[in-house]
Amino acid sequence: MSILVTRSSMPPLEDYIEEIKPIFESHWLTNMGPVYKKFQHQLIDYLGVPYLSLFVNGHMALEMAIQALGLQCPDGEVITTPYTFVSTTHAIARNGLKPVFCDIKPDDYTIDPDKIEELITDKTVAIVPVHVYGNLCDVEAIDRIAKKHNLKVIYDAAHAFGVTYKGIGVGNFGDASMFSFHATKVFNTVEGGAVAFSDAAYRNKLHTLKNFGIINNGNVDDIGGNAKLDEFRAAMGICNLRRLEECILKRKVVYERYNERLSGINGIRLSQPQVGVSANYAYYPVYFDKDILGKSRDDVFEQLKQNDIYARKYFYPAVNELQCYQDICIWEDTPIAHDISLNILTLPMYEELAIEDVDYICDIILNA
Ligand code: T4K
């Protein structure tokens, strides 16, 4: 059987049936119903954040998180990373703002705070960093820069559900943080997402934006859309949240086995644990140094594929090399992101991945 890069975590069917029974009784399917509210409360507790708003997916959550901060202005610029899934950049551009790409750090692949300030102009309105692979950005340095220049910070925390830093939930940094609950994530609601934030005033804004901008009695004060999470997906979230800790522990076992097998090999670079960060083991990125190994990331990818193993080149090409953003920035401006995107392979990682399969994958890599 093929081994894919990931496999959705799912609750036992009976648990889900139990959770959706009230929906069948009430016929209340969407529009912020009782299951949605229950799920929202549970997430606020789990993530340890003051406020949270649920969305139909992570992308719309990020797009509306930016919109709700009222950042739109002629020629407004947002500093962000090119080393991410294209959704991050689209969320900025679809708000009429110009993404300005900042290079990343070679060790954890997150935005390099030492390179942010030189990109700030009088048009800069915000920074959108990404906790890529669940690696925490340098939140302290980013906070200092944002305060100094009076900029908003919206974190793309799509990969970082459940991550904490010095015991603080990752959703507490910046003005807002977006989580994705897509089927491929550590925690899923099939499709889904959320924005965590600390300013109560922001709550109503987000709430109305995802419901067409309707405030009350049919009054509409904003150009919103429809981005509500429905009751069935909220029920899936409740079931998956119940078993999340177990799921993360199983991922940890897989992660440690990869580490055991692949560490200490000249030319293979693994992610290092970050100080003070409790990880969620979302992805297993490996950097293959062709100059040392004589084989490239693409060679390893093909070798695995021939053995029915489908690792992925997340994130290749870097976003600023995609056709729709090529005009904004040349790759030479972000050489580290360019190099990382050419040489990283994310290996299969999911809670049900058997240790024998991890060994099989590592054998193929090491033989290659
Ligand atoms: N920001 C960042 C940094 C992100 O990574 C993402 C999403 C977003 C924002 C936006 O969040 P969402 O709007 O998606 O909530 C996937 C996901 O569609 C996307 O959510 C994710 N990032 C991105 C990194 O990866 P694909 O096109 O690579 O997925 P796909 O369909 O090839 O699936 C990958 C593997 O997952 C399959 O080989 C098998 C497994 N799988 C997939 C699906 C759809 C399952 O086991 N079950 C499933 O239902 O984009």
Side-chain angles (χ1 to χ4, degrees), residues 81-83 102-115 132 135-139 141-142 269 274 336-337 340 344:
T81 166
Y83 195 68
C102 177
D103 211 356
I104 58 171
K105 292 186 277 163
D107 52 349
D108 62 16
Y109 322 124
T110 63
I111 197 164
D112 187 342
D114 290 341
K115 295 181 180 153
V132 67
N135 291 340
L136 196 91
C137 296
D138 188 340
V139 289
I142 292 169
R269 222 162 74 201
Q274 295 178 294
I336 295 173
I340 299 294
I344 277 211

PDB file of all heavy atoms in Angstrom, residues 81-83 102-115 132 135-139 141-142 269 274 336-337 340 344:
ATOM      1  N   THR A  81       6.765  36.168   4.711  1.00  0.00           N
ATOM      2  CA  THR A  81       7.769  35.190   4.289  1.00  0.00           C
ATOM      3  C   THR A  81       7.391  34.550   2.946  1.00  0.00           C
ATOM      4  O   THR A  81       6.214  34.287   2.714  1.00  0.00           O
ATOM      5  CB  THR A  81       7.889  34.078   5.360  1.00  0.00           C
ATOM      6  OG1 THR A  81       8.617  32.978   4.802  1.00  0.00           O
ATOM      7  CG2 THR A  81       6.532  33.559   5.791  1.00  0.00           C
ATOM      8  N   PRO A  82       8.387  34.273   2.120  1.00  0.00           N
ATOM      9  CA  PRO A  82       8.080  33.558   0.887  1.00  0.00           C
ATOM     10  C   PRO A  82       8.060  32.047   1.104  1.00  0.00           C
ATOM     11  O   PRO A  82       7.688  31.294   0.203  1.00  0.00           O
ATOM     12  CB  PRO A  82       9.245  33.935  -0.030  1.00  0.00           C
ATOM     13  CG  PRO A  82      10.388  34.172   0.902  1.00  0.00           C
ATOM     14  CD  PRO A  82       9.809  34.679   2.199  1.00  0.00           C
ATOM     15  N   TYR A  83       8.491  31.604   2.310  1.00  0.00           N
ATOM     16  CA  TYR A  83       8.577  30.157   2.542  1.00  0.00           C
ATOM     17  C   TYR A  83       7.344  29.691   3.311  1.00  0.00           C
ATOM     18  O   TYR A  83       7.349  29.579   4.539  1.00  0.00           O
ATOM     19  CB  TYR A  83       9.866  29.792   3.290  1.00  0.00           C
ATOM     20  CG  TYR A  83      10.125  28.311   3.199  1.00  0.00           C
ATOM     21  CD1 TYR A  83      10.449  27.727   1.981  1.00  0.00           C
ATOM     22  CD2 TYR A  83       9.978  27.492   4.305  1.00  0.00           C
ATOM     23  CE1 TYR A  83      10.634  26.362   1.869  1.00  0.00           C
ATOM     24  CE2 TYR A  83      10.171  26.125   4.202  1.00  0.00           C
ATOM     25  CZ  TYR A  83      10.493  25.569   2.970  1.00  0.00           C
ATOM     26  OH  TYR A  83      10.662  24.207   2.859  1.00  0.00           O
ATOM     27  N   CYS A 102      10.348  38.857   2.897  1.00  0.00           N
ATOM     28  CA  CYS A 102      11.541  38.944   3.745  1.00  0.00           C
ATOM     29  C   CYS A 102      12.153  37.542   3.804  1.00  0.00           C
ATOM     30  O   CYS A 102      11.420  36.550   3.902  1.00  0.00           O
ATOM     31  CB  CYS A 102      11.092  39.389   5.143  1.00  0.00           C
ATOM     32  SG  CYS A 102      12.416  39.459   6.348  1.00  0.00           S
ATOM     33  N   ASP A 103      13.463  37.458   3.791  1.00  0.00           N
ATOM     34  CA  ASP A 103      14.103  36.133   3.795  1.00  0.00           C
ATOM     35  C   ASP A 103      13.923  35.441   5.164  1.00  0.00           C
ATOM     36  O   ASP A 103      13.491  36.063   6.143  1.00  0.00           O
ATOM     37  CB  ASP A 103      15.585  36.235   3.427  1.00  0.00           C
ATOM     38  CG  ASP A 103      16.056  34.975   2.694  1.00  0.00           C
ATOM     39  OD1 ASP A 103      15.262  34.021   2.550  1.00  0.00           O
ATOM     40  OD2 ASP A 103      17.228  34.948   2.255  1.00  0.00           O
ATOM     41  N   ILE A 104      14.268  34.162   5.182  1.00  0.00           N
ATOM     42  CA  ILE A 104      14.027  33.333   6.372  1.00  0.00           C
ATOM     43  C   ILE A 104      15.353  32.930   7.025  1.00  0.00           C
ATOM     44  O   ILE A 104      16.422  33.131   6.462  1.00  0.00           O
ATOM     45  CB  ILE A 104      13.215  32.073   5.991  1.00  0.00           C
ATOM     46  CG1 ILE A 104      13.959  31.249   4.920  1.00  0.00           C
ATOM     47  CG2 ILE A 104      11.833  32.483   5.500  1.00  0.00           C
ATOM     48  CD1 ILE A 104      13.329  29.882   4.656  1.00  0.00           C
ATOM     49  N   LYS A 105      15.207  32.309   8.205  1.00  0.00           N
ATOM     50  CA  LYS A 105      16.401  31.806   8.901  1.00  0.00           C
ATOM     51  C   LYS A 105      16.699  30.401   8.384  1.00  0.00           C
ATOM     52  O   LYS A 105      15.771  29.618   8.161  1.00  0.00           O
ATOM     53  CB  LYS A 105      16.135  31.764  10.411  1.00  0.00           C
ATOM     54  CG  LYS A 105      15.989  33.144  11.025  1.00  0.00           C
ATOM     55  CD  LYS A 105      15.878  33.064  12.543  1.00  0.00           C
ATOM     56  CE  LYS A 105      14.481  32.764  12.984  1.00  0.00           C
ATOM     57  NZ  LYS A 105      14.355  32.289  14.354  1.00  0.00           N
ATOM     58  N   PRO A 106      17.976  30.058   8.237  1.00  0.00           N
ATOM     59  CA  PRO A 106      18.290  28.737   7.681  1.00  0.00           C
ATOM     60  C   PRO A 106      18.054  27.591   8.662  1.00  0.00           C
ATOM     61  O   PRO A 106      17.995  26.439   8.268  1.00  0.00           O
ATOM     62  CB  PRO A 106      19.777  28.851   7.337  1.00  0.00           C
ATOM     63  CG  PRO A 106      20.298  29.965   8.162  1.00  0.00           C
ATOM     64  CD  PRO A 106      19.164  30.890   8.459  1.00  0.00           C
ATOM     65  N   ASP A 107      17.911  27.898   9.971  1.00  0.00           N
ATOM     66  CA  ASP A 107      17.790  26.797  10.939  1.00  0.00           C
ATOM     67  C   ASP A 107      16.338  26.359  11.158  1.00  0.00           C
ATOM     68  O   ASP A 107      16.044  25.168  11.190  1.00  0.00           O
ATOM     69  CB  ASP A 107      18.448  27.172  12.276  1.00  0.00           C
ATOM     70  CG  ASP A 107      17.954  28.502  12.829  1.00  0.00           C
ATOM     71  OD1 ASP A 107      17.254  29.237  12.095  1.00  0.00           O
ATOM     72  OD2 ASP A 107      18.253  28.817  13.993  1.00  0.00           O
ATOM     73  N   ASP A 108      15.401  27.332  11.274  1.00  0.00           N
ATOM     74  CA  ASP A 108      14.007  26.894  11.512  1.00  0.00           C
ATOM     75  C   ASP A 108      13.044  27.338  10.415  1.00  0.00           C
ATOM     76  O   ASP A 108      11.844  27.121  10.517  1.00  0.00           O
ATOM     77  CB  ASP A 108      13.518  27.352  12.899  1.00  0.00           C
ATOM     78  CG  ASP A 108      13.505  28.858  13.050  1.00  0.00           C
ATOM     79  OD1 ASP A 108      13.568  29.562  12.015  1.00  0.00           O
ATOM     80  OD2 ASP A 108      13.436  29.350  14.188  1.00  0.00           O
ATOM     81  N   TYR A 109      13.566  28.015   9.394  1.00  0.00           N
ATOM     82  CA  TYR A 109      12.804  28.381   8.186  1.00  0.00           C
ATOM     83  C   TYR A 109      11.735  29.453   8.417  1.00  0.00           C
ATOM     84  O   TYR A 109      10.900  29.697   7.551  1.00  0.00           O
ATOM     85  CB  TYR A 109      12.177  27.141   7.523  1.00  0.00           C
ATOM     86  CG  TYR A 109      13.061  25.912   7.572  1.00  0.00           C
ATOM     87  CD1 TYR A 109      12.634  24.707   8.127  1.00  0.00           C
ATOM     88  CD2 TYR A 109      14.358  25.972   7.080  1.00  0.00           C
ATOM     89  CE1 TYR A 109      13.463  23.596   8.209  1.00  0.00           C
ATOM     90  CE2 TYR A 109      15.199  24.871   7.141  1.00  0.00           C
ATOM     91  CZ  TYR A 109      14.750  23.695   7.713  1.00  0.00           C
ATOM     92  OH  TYR A 109      15.578  22.609   7.770  1.00  0.00           O
ATOM     93  N   THR A 110      11.739  30.085   9.590  1.00  0.00           N
ATOM     94  CA  THR A 110      10.775  31.159   9.846  1.00  0.00           C
ATOM     95  C   THR A 110      11.399  32.500   9.447  1.00  0.00           C
ATOM     96  O   THR A 110      12.628  32.600   9.268  1.00  0.00           O
ATOM     97  CB  THR A 110      10.367  31.209  11.338  1.00  0.00           C
ATOM     98  OG1 THR A 110      11.526  31.505  12.121  1.00  0.00           O
ATOM     99  CG2 THR A 110       9.759  29.887  11.796  1.00  0.00           C
ATOM    100  N   ILE A 111      10.562  33.521   9.346  1.00  0.00           N
ATOM    101  CA  ILE A 111      11.017  34.848   8.897  1.00  0.00           C
ATOM    102  C   ILE A 111      12.201  35.326   9.759  1.00  0.00           C
ATOM    103  O   ILE A 111      12.205  35.103  10.975  1.00  0.00           O
ATOM    104  CB  ILE A 111       9.830  35.841   8.943  1.00  0.00           C
ATOM    105  CG1 ILE A 111      10.097  37.105   8.131  1.00  0.00           C
ATOM    106  CG2 ILE A 111       9.451  36.204  10.377  1.00  0.00           C
ATOM    107  CD1 ILE A 111       8.827  37.916   7.845  1.00  0.00           C
ATOM    108  N   ASP A 112      13.183  35.962   9.111  1.00  0.00           N
ATOM    109  CA  ASP A 112      14.383  36.405   9.835  1.00  0.00           C
ATOM    110  C   ASP A 112      14.153  37.823  10.360  1.00  0.00           C
ATOM    111  O   ASP A 112      14.155  38.783   9.575  1.00  0.00           O
ATOM    112  CB  ASP A 112      15.582  36.370   8.871  1.00  0.00           C
ATOM    113  CG  ASP A 112      16.888  36.662   9.598  1.00  0.00           C
ATOM    114  OD1 ASP A 112      16.826  37.204  10.718  1.00  0.00           O
ATOM    115  OD2 ASP A 112      17.947  36.349   9.041  1.00  0.00           O
ATOM    116  N   PRO A 113      13.983  37.993  11.666  1.00  0.00           N
ATOM    117  CA  PRO A 113      13.679  39.336  12.187  1.00  0.00           C
ATOM    118  C   PRO A 113      14.785  40.338  11.906  1.00  0.00           C
ATOM    119  O   PRO A 113      14.529  41.530  11.797  1.00  0.00           O
ATOM    120  CB  PRO A 113      13.502  39.124  13.693  1.00  0.00           C
ATOM    121  CG  PRO A 113      13.803  37.716  13.976  1.00  0.00           C
ATOM    122  CD  PRO A 113      14.073  36.976  12.713  1.00  0.00           C
ATOM    123  N   ASP A 114      16.016  39.857  11.759  1.00  0.00           N
ATOM    124  CA  ASP A 114      17.122  40.784  11.474  1.00  0.00           C
ATOM    125  C   ASP A 114      16.984  41.430  10.090  1.00  0.00           C
ATOM    126  O   ASP A 114      17.696  42.381   9.773  1.00  0.00           O
ATOM    127  CB  ASP A 114      18.470  40.051  11.535  1.00  0.00           C
ATOM    128  CG  ASP A 114      18.811  39.654  12.962  1.00  0.00           C
ATOM    129  OD1 ASP A 114      18.211  40.239  13.894  1.00  0.00           O
ATOM    130  OD2 ASP A 114      19.638  38.738  13.139  1.00  0.00           O
ATOM    131  N   LYS A 115      16.120  40.860   9.258  1.00  0.00           N
ATOM    132  CA  LYS A 115      15.982  41.407   7.895  1.00  0.00           C
ATOM    133  C   LYS A 115      14.660  42.143   7.700  1.00  0.00           C
ATOM    134  O   LYS A 115      14.372  42.616   6.601  1.00  0.00           O
ATOM    135  CB  LYS A 115      16.108  40.262   6.882  1.00  0.00           C
ATOM    136  CG  LYS A 115      17.494  39.646   6.904  1.00  0.00           C
ATOM    137  CD  LYS A 115      17.659  38.534   5.911  1.00  0.00           C
ATOM    138  CE  LYS A 115      19.078  37.980   6.003  1.00  0.00           C
ATOM    139  NZ  LYS A 115      19.156  36.588   5.600  1.00  0.00           N
ATOM    140  N   VAL A 132       6.142  28.130  10.389  1.00  0.00           N
ATOM    141  CA  VAL A 132       6.153  27.069   9.375  1.00  0.00           C
ATOM    142  C   VAL A 132       6.582  25.721   9.973  1.00  0.00           C
ATOM    143  O   VAL A 132       7.483  25.674  10.802  1.00  0.00           O
ATOM    144  CB  VAL A 132       7.038  27.499   8.171  1.00  0.00           C
ATOM    145  CG1 VAL A 132       8.503  27.602   8.548  1.00  0.00           C
ATOM    146  CG2 VAL A 132       6.850  26.599   6.978  1.00  0.00           C
ATOM    147  N   ASN A 135       7.239  25.321  13.624  1.00  0.00           N
ATOM    148  CA  ASN A 135       8.390  25.983  14.254  1.00  0.00           C
ATOM    149  C   ASN A 135       7.989  27.404  14.637  1.00  0.00           C
ATOM    150  O   ASN A 135       7.469  28.151  13.806  1.00  0.00           O
ATOM    151  CB  ASN A 135       9.585  26.068  13.289  1.00  0.00           C
ATOM    152  CG  ASN A 135      10.193  24.713  13.008  1.00  0.00           C
ATOM    153  OD1 ASN A 135       9.995  23.767  13.759  1.00  0.00           O
ATOM    154  ND2 ASN A 135      10.916  24.604  11.904  1.00  0.00           N
ATOM    155  N   LEU A 136       8.255  27.757  15.875  1.00  0.00           N
ATOM    156  CA  LEU A 136       7.857  29.071  16.354  1.00  0.00           C
ATOM    157  C   LEU A 136       8.750  30.166  15.774  1.00  0.00           C
ATOM    158  O   LEU A 136       9.966  30.055  15.785  1.00  0.00           O
ATOM    159  CB  LEU A 136       7.943  29.102  17.883  1.00  0.00           C
ATOM    160  CG  LEU A 136       7.190  30.259  18.489  1.00  0.00           C
ATOM    161  CD1 LEU A 136       5.763  29.840  18.805  1.00  0.00           C
ATOM    162  CD2 LEU A 136       7.868  30.771  19.745  1.00  0.00           C
ATOM    163  N   CYS A 137       8.113  31.241  15.268  1.00  0.00           N
ATOM    164  CA  CYS A 137       8.880  32.418  14.822  1.00  0.00           C
ATOM    165  C   CYS A 137       9.538  33.051  16.049  1.00  0.00           C
ATOM    166  O   CYS A 137       9.144  32.779  17.184  1.00  0.00           O
ATOM    167  CB  CYS A 137       7.941  33.460  14.219  1.00  0.00           C
ATOM    168  SG  CYS A 137       7.094  32.915  12.736  1.00  0.00           S
ATOM    169  N   ASP A 138      10.461  33.947  15.811  1.00  0.00           N
ATOM    170  CA  ASP A 138      11.070  34.689  16.923  1.00  0.00           C
ATOM    171  C   ASP A 138      10.056  35.752  17.374  1.00  0.00           C
ATOM    172  O   ASP A 138      10.132  36.928  16.999  1.00  0.00           O
ATOM    173  CB  ASP A 138      12.394  35.323  16.459  1.00  0.00           C
ATOM    174  CG  ASP A 138      13.156  35.933  17.619  1.00  0.00           C
ATOM    175  OD1 ASP A 138      12.529  36.213  18.663  1.00  0.00           O
ATOM    176  OD2 ASP A 138      14.373  36.140  17.481  1.00  0.00           O
ATOM    177  N   VAL A 139       9.083  35.314  18.167  1.00  0.00           N
ATOM    178  CA  VAL A 139       7.946  36.184  18.509  1.00  0.00           C
ATOM    179  C   VAL A 139       8.390  37.417  19.307  1.00  0.00           C
ATOM    180  O   VAL A 139       7.785  38.483  19.192  1.00  0.00           O
ATOM    181  CB  VAL A 139       6.846  35.407  19.282  1.00  0.00           C
ATOM    182  CG1 VAL A 139       6.128  34.441  18.370  1.00  0.00           C
ATOM    183  CG2 VAL A 139       7.406  34.673  20.487  1.00  0.00           C
ATOM    184  N   ALA A 141      11.357  39.104  19.118  1.00  0.00           N
ATOM    185  CA  ALA A 141      11.980  40.096  18.227  1.00  0.00           C
ATOM    186  C   ALA A 141      10.921  40.750  17.337  1.00  0.00           C
ATOM    187  O   ALA A 141      10.935  41.969  17.124  1.00  0.00           O
ATOM    188  CB  ALA A 141      13.051  39.428  17.383  1.00  0.00           C
ATOM    189  N   ILE A 142      10.000  39.950  16.838  1.00  0.00           N
ATOM    190  CA  ILE A 142       8.951  40.496  15.947  1.00  0.00           C
ATOM    191  C   ILE A 142       8.079  41.487  16.723  1.00  0.00           C
ATOM    192  O   ILE A 142       7.723  42.551  16.225  1.00  0.00           O
ATOM    193  CB  ILE A 142       8.124  39.341  15.332  1.00  0.00           C
ATOM    194  CG1 ILE A 142       9.009  38.537  14.363  1.00  0.00           C
ATOM    195  CG2 ILE A 142       6.876  39.869  14.623  1.00  0.00           C
ATOM    196  CD1 ILE A 142       8.419  37.233  13.876  1.00  0.00           C
ATOM    197  N   ARG A 269      20.289  17.330   6.959  1.00  0.00           N
ATOM    198  CA  ARG A 269      20.057  18.290   8.046  1.00  0.00           C
ATOM    199  C   ARG A 269      18.638  18.148   8.563  1.00  0.00           C
ATOM    200  O   ARG A 269      17.682  18.229   7.786  1.00  0.00           O
ATOM    201  CB  ARG A 269      20.267  19.699   7.504  1.00  0.00           C
ATOM    202  CG  ARG A 269      21.020  20.584   8.458  1.00  0.00           C
ATOM    203  CD  ARG A 269      21.587  21.795   7.743  1.00  0.00           C
ATOM    204  NE  ARG A 269      20.545  22.761   7.421  1.00  0.00           N
ATOM    205  CZ  ARG A 269      20.680  23.681   6.483  1.00  0.00           C
ATOM    206  NH1 ARG A 269      21.775  23.754   5.768  1.00  0.00           N
ATOM    207  NH2 ARG A 269      19.707  24.533   6.254  1.00  0.00           N
ATOM    208  N   GLN A 274      13.322  23.581  19.381  1.00  0.00           N
ATOM    209  CA  GLN A 274      13.482  24.994  19.750  1.00  0.00           C
ATOM    210  C   GLN A 274      13.371  25.134  21.269  1.00  0.00           C
ATOM    211  O   GLN A 274      12.475  24.527  21.878  1.00  0.00           O
ATOM    212  CB  GLN A 274      12.407  25.846  19.076  1.00  0.00           C
ATOM    213  CG  GLN A 274      12.514  25.879  17.555  1.00  0.00           C
ATOM    214  CD  GLN A 274      11.381  26.698  16.948  1.00  0.00           C
ATOM    215  OE1 GLN A 274      10.224  26.332  17.028  1.00  0.00           O
ATOM    216  NE2 GLN A 274      11.728  27.815  16.349  1.00  0.00           N
ATOM    217  N   ILE A 336      17.982  32.526   0.957  1.00  0.00           N
ATOM    218  CA  ILE A 336      17.878  31.368   1.864  1.00  0.00           C
ATOM    219  C   ILE A 336      16.577  30.612   1.597  1.00  0.00           C
ATOM    220  O   ILE A 336      16.566  29.379   1.491  1.00  0.00           O
ATOM    221  CB  ILE A 336      18.025  31.818   3.339  1.00  0.00           C
ATOM    222  CG1 ILE A 336      19.445  32.354   3.526  1.00  0.00           C
ATOM    223  CG2 ILE A 336      17.744  30.657   4.298  1.00  0.00           C
ATOM    224  CD1 ILE A 336      19.734  32.991   4.828  1.00  0.00           C
ATOM    225  N   ALA A 337      15.485  31.361   1.432  1.00  0.00           N
ATOM    226  CA  ALA A 337      14.212  30.704   1.117  1.00  0.00           C
ATOM    227  C   ALA A 337      14.332  29.915  -0.189  1.00  0.00           C
ATOM    228  O   ALA A 337      13.811  28.799  -0.316  1.00  0.00           O
ATOM    229  CB  ALA A 337      13.091  31.742   1.012  1.00  0.00           C
ATOM    230  N   ILE A 340      16.364  26.727   0.555  1.00  0.00           N
ATOM    231  CA  ILE A 340      15.592  25.766   1.362  1.00  0.00           C
ATOM    232  C   ILE A 340      14.507  25.118   0.494  1.00  0.00           C
ATOM    233  O   ILE A 340      14.298  23.899   0.553  1.00  0.00           O
ATOM    234  CB  ILE A 340      14.965  26.484   2.591  1.00  0.00           C
ATOM    235  CG1 ILE A 340      16.043  27.082   3.502  1.00  0.00           C
ATOM    236  CG2 ILE A 340      14.039  25.550   3.370  1.00  0.00           C
ATOM    237  CD1 ILE A 340      16.955  26.114   4.191  1.00  0.00           C
ATOM    238  N   ILE A 344      14.555  20.893   0.497  1.00  0.00           N
ATOM    239  CA  ILE A 344      13.812  20.226   1.586  1.00  0.00           C
ATOM    240  C   ILE A 344      12.753  19.271   1.061  1.00  0.00           C
ATOM    241  O   ILE A 344      12.033  19.572   0.105  1.00  0.00           O
ATOM    242  CB  ILE A 344      13.162  21.284   2.510  1.00  0.00           C
ATOM    243  CG1 ILE A 344      14.215  21.751   3.512  1.00  0.00           C
ATOM    244  CG2 ILE A 344      11.945  20.734   3.227  1.00  0.00           C
ATOM    245  CD1 ILE A 344      13.725  22.155   4.851  1.00  0.00           C
TER     246      ILE A 344
END
